[in-house]
Amino acid sequence: MKKIAKAALFVQENSELFQCPICKDAFDQIEGNSLSCKNGHLFDISKKGTLYFLLKGTKNEYDKEMLSSRFNIATAGLFHPLLDELYKSIAKKEDGHTLDVGCGEGSQLDYLASLGLSGQKIGFDISKDAIQLAATHFSNAFWCVADLAQSPFASQQYDTILNIFSPSNYKEFDRLLKKDGQVIKVVPEKDYLIELRQLFYRDQEDKQTYSNEVVIAKFKEHFPTLEIKHVKYSFELTPALFEDLMKMTPLSWGASPESKEYALTHPLNKVTIDVCVLIGQK
Ligand SMILES: [Zn+2]
C-alpha cells in the first residue's frame, strides 16, 4: 500500500487520537487524504504519509546534515542499550498508545517497535526535515510535524509519552495522558558524551560539566513518586561515526572553529553515554 493511503487509513481508524490544533475540536470529517474539524480547519496528509500541523513556519536549530548524522549514528546503535533499558519500563507494551514527543528522525521509536512495542505509535517533531527523514526510513509509526505548544493530539488518549532528550510541557503531558499513563523522560547525566566535551572545550573547564538537577527537580514536582534509572555505557566509534557524532551534537555549536579542527584531527574511538531515565506515573 502506498504511504499516503496507509496514513489515511491510520487517521481514519484512529481519529480519536487527534484534535484540531486551532480550535481543539475533534476532526469529524476525514475524506480522502484530508482531515477537517467542524470549523473548517483543514489538514492534508502528504505523499510521504505525514501530517503537517504547524500553524506558522518555525525555525529550529537542526539542519539536514545534523539530522542525517544523528540518523547514521543512532541506527548504528548509539542509543540501543539505553532504549533496551527504557523499553523495560514501559507499562503498556502491547496495545497501548505511545506518543514520542520530539521524536527527531524517528530512530528511537522505530527501535522500540523492533523490541516489541506495539499498539498505535505516533512520533512528532517541530522539524519538518526530521519528520521527512523518519517517514522515509521507518514505517512502524505515524509521523507528524507538530508543536507541543499547539498540540494536535487529543486529551486522555495516550498510555505512554516518550520524552527523550527533548523539552517538556508537563501541563500538556497531563492533558494527553490516560489516567494511569506514564511519562518516560531521558536526560543527560554528567558524563554524557564527556570525551567529546573535553575535546571541544580543552581550555574551558566550566563548559566541560553539565548538571541536570533543575530538570529532574521539575519532573519531581509533577511526578513526586518518580522512578529514576541510571544508564551508563561506552559506545565504540569508527572514524565515520565519530564525524557523525561531531555533526549531530548541539555541543559543537559552542565550540570554536579551532576546537572543531583539533577534534577532527584527534578522533575518539569511543564515547560515553550517561543518562537518567525518569519514569513518572500519572
Ligand atoms: Zn478547528
Side-chain angles (χ1 to χ4, degrees), residues 70 100-109 122-125 130-131 134 143-144 166:
R70 194 179 197 285
D100 187 358
V101 172
C103 67
E105 24 51 61
S107 55
Q108 292 154 176
L109 192 52
I122 299 178
F124 80 91
D125 202 280
I131 292 303
W143 307 107
C144 4
S166 74

Side-chain angles (χ1 to χ4, degrees), residues 81-268:
L82 152 64
L83 294 168
D84 290 339
E85 204 49 48
L86 185 155
Y87 179 67
K88 293 181 199 162
S89 301
I90 299 177
K92 207 99 199 256
K93 292 185 179 71
E94 271 165 25
D95 53 359
H97 295 163
T98 302
L99 185 66
D100 187 358
V101 172
C103 67
E105 24 51 61
S107 55
Q108 292 154 176
L109 192 52
D110 183 73
Y111 183 72
L112 291 169
S114 78
L115 294 179
L117 182 64
S118 54
Q120 305 305 6
K121 295 176 288 295
I122 299 178
F124 80 91
D125 202 280
I126 202 162
S127 161
K128 191 180 175 186
D129 292 331
I131 292 303
Q132 290 271 356
L133 211 51
T136 303
H137 294 280
F138 304 124
S139 55
N140 266 328
F142 185 82
W143 307 107
C144 4
V145 186
D147 183 353
L148 188 56
Q150 271 172 319
S151 171
F153 307 106
S155 300
Q156 294 181 28
Q157 291 292 333
Y158 295 89
D159 298 279
T160 313
I161 289 181
L162 301 174
N163 188 205
I164 304 173
F165 303 122
S166 74
S168 304
N169 178 334
Y170 292 106
K171 198 177 160 201
E172 188 60 10
F173 291 171
D174 189 56
R175 183 184 72 78
L176 296 169
L177 280 180
K178 288 185 187 170
K179 68 172 178 355
D180 53 355
Q182 283 178 305
V183 173
I184 302 182
K185 181 172 178 67
V186 176
V187 291
E189 265 290 353
K190 66 173 175 33
D191 287 341
Y192 182 71
L193 307 181
I194 182 81
E195 299 85 353
L196 194 62
R197 226 173 300 157
Q198 286 166 346
L199 199 57
F200 279 152
Y201 306 119
R202 278 172 303 138
D203 313 322
Q204 298 159 274
E205 270 183 35
D206 58 318
K207 282 200 175 178
Q208 292 181 13
T209 54
Y210 165 83
S211 168
N212 58 20
E213 273 174 41
V214 176
V215 178
I216 293 176
K218 187 114 190 176
F219 192 91
K220 225 174 224 173
E221 262 174 44
H222 295 273
F223 301 102
T225 57
L226 80 170
E227 187 192 339
I228 302 184
K229 283 186 183 177
H230 294 275
V231 185
K232 187 172 181 178
Y233 54 91
S234 182
F235 181 76
E236 284 188 28
L237 297 165
T238 61
L241 287 175
F242 173 66
E243 276 198 41
D244 284 326
L245 180 70
M246 278 196 52
K247 285 178 194 156
M248 80 153 210
T249 169
L251 278 178
S252 63
W253 299 342
S256 66
E258 295 78 31
S259 300
K260 283 190 209 169
E261 196 60 37
Y262 177 85
L264 275 173
T265 52
H266 296 77
L268 300 170

